[in-house]
Amino acid sequence: MSTISNADRQLLRETQAGLPIGREPFSEVAMNLGTSERDVLNRFEALIGAGAVRRIAAAPNHYKLGMTANGMSVWHVDRAAVDRLGAAIGALDFVTHCYRRPRALPLWPYNLFAMVHGQSRGEVEEKRAQIATILGRHCQGSDILYSTRILRKTGMRLSR
């Protein structure tokens, strides 16, 4: 999808800050846009199918859920194995997001990042140890960067 229609652009602008909280959020979006709920759902389905929208998901506040120890684990993984192992790490139920990044040598050798949340640093370290076991001999080093505060999370924003 190289360009999106004006109707799709309006839908994305309407929802870019999040869906309305309520029993029927897509119906409310449709009402605000002067269209039907079915049209909103069809447009989202088409945007996802075209790759213009990756996903629609809830973004819970992990601090309010009691997950106050949060660490971005960083790993120095063999280039030949990083994609395969990254997929395995990303599939773990305690990893909220996992991605490959370029190294910044010589100071930053890490190329695989996995965010882990827990109720204590001990719990996060246990989860980190599980990741290390999966990475095994393909991992040449790691570290963990603990969060000190929550940052406002936003996705891409279309200009009004």
Side-chain angles (χ1 to χ4, degrees):
M1 176 178 277
S2 58
T3 60
I4 60 173
S5 71
N6 285 336
D8 289 339
R9 186 172 295 279
Q10 286 180 307
L11 172 62
L12 294 173
R13 282 188 187 129
E14 178 69 24
T15 58
Q16 67 187 0
L19 291 171
I21 304 295
R23 294 180 62 89
E24 298 180 357
F26 296 104
S27 179
E28 188 174 330
V29 168
M31 186 177 64
N32 292 344
L33 293 174
T35 189
S36 69
E37 180 179 31
R38 176 53 35 212
D39 181 54
V40 167
L41 293 171
N42 288 341
R43 287 185 180 282
F44 270 128
E45 185 176 318
L47 289 165
I48 290 169
V53 171
R54 284 186 290 185
R55 64 189 170 132
I56 298 171
N61 181 331
H62 48 275
Y63 285 93
K64 289 189 177 186
L65 296 174
M67 306 302 251
T68 57
N70 309 289
M72 177 61 76
S73 62
V74 295
W75 307 88
H76 176 9
V77 179
D78 294 338
R79 180 182 296 172
V82 69
D83 289 335
R84 177 179 55 80
L85 291 169
I89 302 307
L92 295 170
D93 64 357
F94 58 82
V95 172
T96 57
H97 44 285
C98 180
Y99 45 91
R100 181 181 182 180
R101 288 281 187 253
R103 304 174 200 273
L105 298 172
L107 299 176
W108 192 258
Y110 309 113
N111 59 341
L112 183 65
F113 293 53
M115 189 69 186
V116 179
H117 304 280
Q119 294 182 340
S120 69
R121 284 194 178 196
E123 180 183 349
V124 170
E125 289 295 338
E126 288 173 14
K127 293 173 179 177
R128 181 178 174 217
Q130 290 178 48
I131 294 171
T133 298
I134 293 168
L135 296 175
R137 65 179 174 80
H138 298 288
C139 181
Q140 294 127 28
S142 69
D143 203 347
I144 191 159
L145 311 169
Y146 282 99
S147 302
T148 57
R149 62 189 171 100
I150 192 166
L151 299 174
R152 183 170 178 247
K153 298 175 189 170
T154 60
M156 182 197 78
R157 298 287 188 240
L158 297 176
S159 60
R160 292 263 172 203

